[in-house]
């Protein structure tokens, strides 16, 4: 692994950071999340059409840039620094890879160029709170996480020569505003039980939910005899494998995003302790504060290294390291954001301060994609670290 960035990767980071510094400050973020879309459409247009972020990791044949998970992770790190609310995660990181891997040639040709251009946003709808299980990050995704038997989850049935969906998905990222829903549903009953993906445009009932982290909008989506088109073939043999691969790449991107947020909140905290005076001197001059910040710096840099390795491993087809990198990054963000609130003193404990945006992102991400101990436990299980066999002692 070469730890240095290429000129193209440096350009991605620099261009994106310059744009976000101008158009995505804390007040811009607060204004954007309170709109109906949950993000700034003008900023999304710039990210999509001028910078081409939705198509960054899509093949050139579908209008993408043909880059890898590494470039997408670098872009996510910059978005994480600003906590920029956008449909990028739901569209380009979670939904587009599923369409690319499972879709028919006609479906890929119809959908992926529109996603790459930013003209189509998408959301991955997984029943219940099983997103990380479906992605193979906190559990075996070969189980009945999409719902089984006669009830629960989302069910798909044949009707009038097509498919109809029934059920509910509770935590669909950007599900209230996405143009396209990529829905995991159970079908086949007891005789031929399997999970398939379906494409849904209109017809579902979508309700935006109140969430701890407003920069990560989510929705409850209900299906009542909703017409749907099956994604790819009707066998479903590759669904678990594809989702595990998508989950590993998504975890690497999410880890980079969390590192960006942690790095930014640490940077802002260092700036503050240099200015804030107590007992006639800047509080940053006290050794206790310096040691605390040094520990945070080491933790953030370690998380960055893990995220970079996970993105590189995903791009090169190596071992899956996304789950562990995500665990380390989420822990670093939680610790850094919590300490930032404390080190900002009285002003840091007010909801209006920007430190709370990062604190809520840390808490919200761990609820959605963690918890950290489950990410690590599943990674250890997959690696068979605690298989109960004999341990050689030297």
């Amino acid at each position: 692994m070469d730890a240095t960035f290429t000129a193209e990767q440096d350009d991605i980071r620099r261009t994106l950071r310059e744009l976000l510094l101008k158009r995505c400050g804390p007040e811009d973020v607060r204004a954007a999340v309170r709109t109906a879309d949950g993000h700034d459409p003008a900023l999304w247009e710039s990210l999509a059409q001028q910078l081409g972020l939705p198509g960054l990791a899509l093949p050139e044949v579908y209008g993408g840039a043909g880059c890898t998970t590494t470039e997408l992770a670098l872009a996510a790190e910059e978005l994480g620094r600003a906590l920029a609310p956008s449909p990028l995660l739901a569209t380009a990181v979670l939904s587009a890879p599923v369409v690319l891997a499972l879709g028919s040639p006609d479906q890929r040709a119809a959908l992926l160029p529109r996603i790459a251009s930013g003209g189509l946003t998408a959301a991955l709808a997984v029943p219940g709170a099983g997103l990380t299980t479906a992605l193979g990050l906190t559990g075996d995704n070969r189980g009945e996480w999409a719902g089984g038997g006669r009830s629960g989850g989302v069910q798909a049935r044949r009707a009038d020569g097509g498919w109809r969906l029934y059920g509910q998905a509770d935590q669909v990222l950007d599900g209230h505003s996405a143009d396209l829903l990529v829905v995991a549903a159970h079908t086949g009953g007891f005789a031929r039980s399997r999970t398939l993906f379906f494409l849904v445009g209109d017809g579902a009932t979508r309700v935006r939910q109140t969430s701890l982290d407003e920069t990560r909008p989510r929705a409850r989506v209900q299906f009542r005899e909703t017409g749907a088109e099956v994604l790819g073939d009707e066998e479903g043999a590759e669904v678990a494998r594809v989702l595990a691969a998508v989950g590993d790449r998504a975890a690497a991107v999410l880890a980079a995003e969390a590192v960006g947020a942690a790095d930014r909140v640490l940077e802002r905290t260092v700036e503050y302790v240099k200015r804030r005076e107590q007992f006639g001197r800047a509080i940053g001059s006290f050794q206790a504060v310096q040691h605390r910040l040094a520990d945070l710096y080491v933790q953030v840099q370690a998380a960055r290294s893990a995220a970079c390795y996970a993105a590189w491993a995903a791009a090169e087809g190596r071992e899956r390291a996304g789950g562990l990198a995500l665990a380390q990054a989420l822990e670093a963000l939680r610790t850094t954001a919590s300490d930032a609130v404390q080190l900002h003193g009285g002003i840091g404990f007010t909801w209006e301060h920007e430190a709370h945006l990062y604190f809520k992102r840390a808490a919200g991400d761990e609820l959605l994609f963690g918890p950290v101990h489950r990410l690590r436990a599943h990674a250890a299980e997959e690696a068979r670290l605690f298989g109960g066999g004999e341990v050689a002692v030297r």
Side-chain angles (χ1 to χ4, degrees):
M1 174 185 172
D2 185 356
T4 60
F5 294 119
T6 65
E8 292 78 8
Q9 290 170 343
D10 282 331
D11 285 341
I12 291 172
R13 301 180 71 191
R14 183 178 61 256
T15 304
L16 191 51
R17 184 172 298 192
E18 289 174 355
L19 174 65
L20 294 174
L21 283 174
K22 293 177 182 177
R23 301 180 54 180
C24 201
E27 294 308 315
D28 299 310
V29 170
R30 288 190 174 92
V33 298
R34 289 165 187 159
T35 63
D37 290 329
H39 64 270
D40 180 1
L43 177 61
W44 172 244
E45 183 178 346
S46 297
L47 295 174
Q49 297 182 8
Q50 296 179 19
L51 301 183
L53 292 193
L56 200 59
L58 287 176
E60 294 181 14
V61 68
Y62 298 118
C67 295
T68 68
T69 307
T70 302
E71 285 75 21
L72 192 56
L74 290 175
E77 182 178 346
E78 295 303 319
L79 292 171
R81 284 179 58 86
L83 298 184
S86 80
L88 185 71
L89 174 62
T91 300
V93 180
L94 295 176
S95 301
V98 175
V99 175
L100 179 63
L102 297 176
S104 67
D106 288 343
Q107 288 171 331
R108 292 196 295 264
L111 299 175
L112 294 179
R114 296 170 60 197
I115 288 177
S117 68
L120 180 73
T121 58
L124 185 68
V126 172
L131 179 60
T132 53
T133 300
L135 295 174
L137 295 175
T138 58
D140 185 357
N141 71 346
R142 291 169 294 182
E144 299 293 347
W145 49 265
R150 298 179 179 272
S151 63
V154 178
Q155 306 291 317
R157 300 175 188 169
R158 285 190 176 278
D160 302 325
W163 288 90
R164 299 284 179 179
L165 300 185
Y166 307 81
Q168 179 172 295
D170 292 311
Q171 296 182 357
V172 183
L173 294 176
D174 289 298
H176 66 293
S177 61
D179 302 315
L180 177 71
L181 296 175
V182 182
V183 186
H186 178 268
T187 189
F190 293 103
R192 195 159 175 265
S193 175
R194 64 197 187 279
T195 297
L196 298 177
F197 274 96
F198 295 85
L199 303 175
V200 175
D202 299 323
T205 301
R206 312 184 192 193
V207 180
R208 184 175 176 180
Q209 301 292 94
T210 300
S211 58
L212 175 64
D213 177 17
E214 293 180 306
T215 66
R216 200 78 95 183
R218 67 198 74 169
R220 174 184 295 127
V221 182
Q222 296 176 324
F223 305 98
R224 300 290 183 268
E225 297 188 37
T226 305
E229 174 188 352
V230 67
L231 181 64
D233 61 46
E234 298 181 7
E235 296 302 315
E238 294 294 303
V239 166
R241 182 191 63 80
V242 166
L243 277 178
V246 170
D248 183 63
R249 291 193 291 269
V253 173
L254 283 164
E257 185 187 67
V259 166
D263 185 63
R264 180 55 177 164
V265 74
L266 177 59
E267 181 181 287
R268 295 290 289 164
T269 303
V270 171
E271 292 174 358
Y272 177 78
V273 299
K274 288 180 178 179
R275 299 192 311 267
R276 177 73 168 92
E277 291 189 357
Q278 186 75 323
F279 305 112
R281 55 190 287 193
I283 62 174
S285 65
F286 294 111
Q287 194 175 59
V289 174
Q290 293 174 353
H291 286 179
R292 195 168 180 180
L293 292 172
D295 289 341
L296 294 176
Y297 177 81
V298 171
Q299 191 169 9
V300 171
Q301 293 307 313
R304 173 175 280 118
S305 296
C308 287
Y309 177 79
W312 172 82
E316 295 293 320
R318 305 276 182 131
E319 70 277 6
R320 292 175 180 171
L324 280 177
L326 180 57
Q328 190 160 354
L330 290 179
E331 187 172 53
L333 177 55
R334 179 190 357 114
T335 304
T336 306
S338 299
D339 283 10
V341 170
Q342 293 183 11
L343 289 170
H344 275 82
I347 191 174
F349 280 85
T350 63
W351 283 114
E352 292 78 14
H353 195 274
E354 66 176 298
H356 280 273
L357 292 174
Y358 292 90
F359 179 80
K360 287 186 281 188
R361 167 62 68 89
D365 272 8
E366 192 160 359
L367 287 172
L368 271 174
F369 306 115
V372 166
H373 72 271
R374 287 190 60 192
L375 289 166
R376 287 178 172 150
H378 183 64
E381 182 181 346
E382 288 291 294
R384 299 180 181 179
L385 292 182
F386 307 107
E390 294 183 1
V391 178
V393 179
R394 296 187 179 183

